[in-house]
Amino acid sequence: MDKLLQNHKHEKKTTKRIDMKMRSRIRVIIWKQWKVPRKQIKSLIQLGIPEEEAKGLTFCRKDYRYIGLSIVVQRAISNNRLKQRGLPSALEHYLKVHTVM
C-alpha cells in the first residue's frame, strides 16, 4: 500500500510539473502571436497590466522562455483565463480520474 501511495504522489507531482510547463509554453505562443511591441503593450494593458510594466516587459530583450515565466505575463494570462478559454488543467484531470469517492 505504501508503494502505491508513493507512486500516486510521484505521478501527481509529475503531472503538476507538466501542467506548469504546458501553461508556460502556451503563454509564450500567445506572446509570439502578438508579434510587434505595440500589439504586445496594447494586449497587456487590455489584460489589466499597468502601461509601465507592459513596456518594461516588451522591451526587456529577454528570450521567450523568460517572457513565459515572468510574473507580468502570468498575471495577464492567468490560469483562470486559460481555463475560461478552454484549456483544461492536466492536474485537475488527473485528480478527477484518480480520486476514489
Side-chain angles (χ1 to χ4, degrees), residues 6-7 20 26-27 39 47 50 62 66 74 79 81 85:
Q6 280 182 331
N7 192 24
M20 242 175 44
I26 288 173
R27 287 183 184 102
K39 174 69 173 167
L47 292 171
K62 298 283 185 177
Y66 175 85
Q74 287 181 13
N79 290 343
R81 285 185 202 250
R85 293 292 182 178

Side-chain angles (χ1 to χ4, degrees), residues 79-96:
N79 290 343
N80 288 335
R81 285 185 202 250
L82 291 174
K83 189 174 183 178
Q84 287 172 351
R85 293 292 182 178
L87 178 70
S89 169
L91 181 61
E92 286 178 13
H93 179 72
Y94 174 82
L95 292 175
K96 186 172 100 177

Side-chain angles (χ1 to χ4, degrees), residues 18-29:
I18 289 170
D19 195 45
M20 242 175 44
K21 288 182 179 185
M22 180 180 67
R23 290 174 183 280
S24 174
R25 183 67 184 135
I26 288 173
R27 287 183 184 102
V28 169
I29 291 168

